[in-house]
Amino acid sequence: MGDTAHNHQQPPPAMVAAPPPSSLAFSKGPSWSPSETLQSLEYCIHSNPSWPQTFLLAFQHYIVMLGTTVLITRTLVNQMGGDPGDAARVIQTLLFMSGINTLLQTFIGTRLPTVMGPSYAFVLPVLSIIRDYNDETFSKEHDRFVAIMRTIQGSLIVSSFVNIILGYSKGWGTLTRLLSPITVVPVVCVVGLGLFMRGFPLLANCVELGLPMLILLVICQYSKNLHSSARPLLERYGLLFCGGIIWAFAAILTVAGAYNNVGYRTKQSCRTDRSYLISSSPWVRVPYPFQWGAPIFRASHVFGMIGAALVSSAEGVGLLLDGIFGAAVGSTASVENVGLLGHTYIGSRRAVQVSTGFMFFFSIFGKFGGLFASIPLAIFAAAYCVLYGIVAAIGISFIQFSNNNSMRNHYVLGLALFLGISIPQYFVSNTTGDGHGPIRADGGWFNDILNTVFSSPPAVAMIVGTLLDNLLEARNNINDRGIPWWKPFQNRKGDSRSAEFYGMPIRINEWMPTRYL
């Protein structure tokens, strides 16, 4: 988390091996000193590349999060009874809300370079809403779509207050006191590994596009060392470069008629015109509050949405805005964009903030947004194979802050990691296409909450890891668990670098109540 060489001079070799000063967070930690800084990180939170580089990096962040937006929309809108025009408007709304929530998060939220995007955790509650409306009769399918969207709006609005209360009452902060590096490892690992179905299985739907994309991404990592001038281009913009080549190849195959006589699934995965988003998108449209009509509030659907909100750790205010503006699902931190930070070696907050400009532009000017939304999903899946893997590796790296030779820690890590993947896989495998999970008690709201929670790998890993780490010889293994390193970061004044990295802009902290900081 240290600064980069762009702002400060590197210390002389004699100082590198010296013990850290008393102000550093891990100064009271165990004798096995962790690596405090990511030495290969070129730009940190508050250091910025040049403006031309910033705009390219920002556009890359937009492209990466676009894949999830399109995939979630394609999964849900057809089942809602919506047409391509409805899908285009849903994508526009999701992009618009991603821009708003990203700005809120980076300016007055965590202040981390985090892109906020639509969350898969909300898919199961939405499917439950769709299922309940399948038994109702409508004069046309579009009316069914609008009724479902209004119900989603109401459920998101109500569920947001749970997270708002937990956040402003410092409930989430209290929970972090039960965490340690030992519990963070499996949770962050399964954030990446738990999305494996969006990797190669999705790539294999159009292997002639996805596999070359994956191979090109790997080649870029080796080619960057061939010449010094090629390194920054391939390292920072390799994903754009590779994606552009394969997208052009896909367009050629589509125009040449390569997919005219193939199955429906192949057409959907390979053709660049399979979604009709360009033709059905309006030239100009600004998403606005309650665009689908007045919200519909149903208690049975609210509970399922509350489970998704807790699982995704969605910011309460952002979730409230999602409901007001009529997003199809709630927002959370985009996993693929976190992986992109590690892939490009650039963690600049400014690049993430600038990316919201692309989200707003392409959400308002629908024809232009529909152009990029036509990128085949197999291309995104190939990128996710790399980016999700990086996130999983980042999770593993947290073990350096604890005793990685402790058999007690191995037990906690192993069980939390395995069950964090195994239990959700059971729930997902036994969930029907209309959202019926394996738990089917008499109360629908009870089913929705438990099926949503236990279908989430991070939620299961956190539950198992937290319980084991705090109940299994916890007091006798404080140093082994890495608590001395972790404890200072539980308080905003616990480390001297917090104000430098995470201080509020334009002196907001001077008028904001201190109990909320």
Side-chain angles (χ1 to χ4, degrees):
M1 298 298 294
D3 202 359
T4 67
H6 294 262
N7 284 353
H8 299 286
Q9 295 180 353
Q10 290 290 339
M15 293 181 63
V16 174
S22 59
S23 63
L24 295 184
F26 57 83
S27 58
K28 298 180 181 179
S31 57
W32 47 90
S33 298
S35 174
E36 183 198 11
T37 61
L38 297 173
Q39 297 293 343
S40 59
L41 195 65
E42 297 185 34
Y43 294 92
C44 197
I45 295 175
H46 64 333
S47 56
N48 304 305
S50 66
W51 281 109
Q53 294 183 62
T54 298
F55 279 103
L56 281 175
L57 292 166
F59 181 68
Q60 193 167 229
H61 274 292
Y62 161 74
I63 290 296
V64 166
M65 63 84 59
L66 181 61
T68 298
T69 304
V70 174
L71 182 58
I72 289 179
T73 300
R74 198 177 81 172
T75 301
L76 297 177
V77 172
N78 287 340
Q79 298 188 55
M80 293 179 185
D83 56 26
D86 296 323
R89 286 185 285 275
V90 168
I91 290 176
Q92 286 178 280
T93 304
L94 290 175
L95 288 177
F96 190 80
M97 296 314 303
S98 294
I100 291 178
N101 289 328
T102 300
L103 285 179
L104 288 175
Q105 194 68 257
T106 55
F107 274 108
I108 60 176
T110 63
R111 298 279 286 149
L112 292 170
T114 305
V115 172
M116 302 298 290
S119 172
Y120 287 107
F122 293 87
V123 170
L124 280 179
V126 171
L127 288 176
S128 177
I129 295 174
I130 295 173
R131 183 177 66 245
D132 285 356
Y133 275 97
N134 285 339
D135 298 330
E136 299 187 15
T137 302
F138 294 87
S139 59
K140 53 184 178 180
E141 283 298 288
H142 180 73
D143 293 339
R144 183 190 307 276
F145 167 80
V146 171
I148 292 173
M149 289 300 299
R150 291 170 59 195
T151 306
I152 294 173
Q153 283 184 177
S155 300
L156 287 174
I157 290 172
V158 175
S159 62
S160 70
F161 288 103
V162 175
N163 276 22
I164 290 175
I165 293 171
L166 286 173
Y168 286 95
S169 65
K170 297 188 177 182
W172 287 124
T174 303
L175 177 62
T176 63
R177 300 182 186 280
L178 300 176
L179 304 180
S180 72
I182 293 300
T183 53
V184 171
V185 171
V187 171
V188 179
C189 275
V190 298
V191 166
L193 297 179
L195 296 173
F196 65 91
M197 288 302 295
R198 280 92 187 184
F200 200 86
L202 186 60
L203 177 156
N205 290 338
C206 189
V207 70
E208 64 268 30
L209 298 180
L211 191 57
M213 175 67 178
L214 180 58
I215 293 173
L216 275 181
L217 287 173
V218 175
I219 290 176
C220 278
Q221 287 297 306
Y222 286 91
S223 301
K224 69 182 184 181
N225 296 317
L226 297 179
H227 196 276
S228 58
S229 62
R231 183 180 183 89
L233 292 176
L234 295 179
E235 193 172 75
R236 299 174 188 176
Y237 318 114
L239 194 147
L240 282 180
F241 177 72
C242 298
I245 292 176
I246 303 301
W247 187 22
F249 178 57
I252 293 172
L253 292 179
T254 301
V255 173
Y259 302 118
N260 290 347
N261 299 313
V262 297
Y264 174 79
R265 186 174 182 178
T266 302
K267 287 183 178 180
Q268 289 293 102
S269 300
C270 300
R271 294 185 68 94
T272 57
D273 59 355
R274 88 284 185 217
S275 57
Y276 307 103
L277 289 175
I278 299 177
S279 59
S280 57
S281 298
W283 277 104
V284 180
R285 180 180 182 273
V286 180
Y288 54 91
F290 307 116
Q291 58 181 311
W292 311 109
I296 296 175
F297 300 96
R298 291 189 177 182
S300 59
H301 297 143
V302 167
F303 285 104
M305 206 66 77
I306 289 175
L310 295 175
V311 163
S312 64
S313 300
E315 184 183 356
V317 174
L319 196 60
L320 175 62
L321 292 175
D322 286 333
I324 291 174
F325 278 83
V329 294
S331 301
T332 190
S334 172
V335 180
E336 50 269 29
N337 288 87
V338 173
L340 184 61
L341 298 179
H343 183 67
T344 60
Y345 302 104
I346 295 178
S348 170
R349 183 165 48 212
R350 176 186 290 176
V352 169
Q353 291 171 337
V354 172
S355 71
T356 62
F358 291 102
M359 299 175 198
F360 290 135
F361 178 85
F362 290 114
S363 65
I364 294 174
F365 299 96
K367 296 291 185 184
F368 298 100
L371 174 65
F372 291 104
S374 68
I375 298 175
L377 292 176
I379 296 178
F380 289 109
Y384 295 161
C385 289
V386 176
L387 302 180
Y388 291 158
I390 291 175
V391 173
I394 291 172
I396 295 173
S397 71
F398 275 91
I399 200 172
Q400 67 180 306
F401 304 122
S402 62
N403 183 1
N404 55 15
N405 292 317
S406 166
M407 292 302 297
R408 180 260 183 202
N409 288 351
H410 292 170
Y411 179 86
V412 175
L413 287 172
L415 194 56
L417 185 59
F418 184 82
L419 292 182
I421 296 176
S422 183
I423 291 177
Q425 181 59 29
Y426 165 78
F427 273 77
V428 171
S429 299
N430 290 276
T431 298
T432 60
D434 58 357
H436 276 293
I439 297 179
R440 302 184 184 183
D442 293 335
W445 62 270
F446 178 81
N447 299 338
D448 289 342
I449 290 179
L450 291 188
N451 285 325
T452 299
V453 170
F454 288 105
S455 295
S456 169
V460 175
M462 180 174 288
I463 293 171
V464 175
T466 302
L467 289 176
L468 291 177
D469 189 45
N470 286 276
L471 298 178
L472 183 61
E473 302 176 354
R475 292 187 177 180
N476 297 330
N477 292 275
I478 291 179
N479 283 342
D480 283 1
R481 295 166 61 202
I483 297 298
W485 175 86
W486 178 262
K487 196 169 184 179
F489 295 104
Q490 295 176 331
N491 190 311
R492 67 187 180 92
K493 295 182 179 180
D495 185 82
S496 60
R497 296 160 295 183
S498 296
E500 180 183 2
F501 287 147
Y502 310 117
M504 295 291 181
I506 57 176
R507 304 170 70 178
I508 290 178
N509 58 300
E510 294 184 6
W511 54 267
M512 181 178 289
T514 55
R515 68 186 297 263
Y516 298 137
L517 296 177

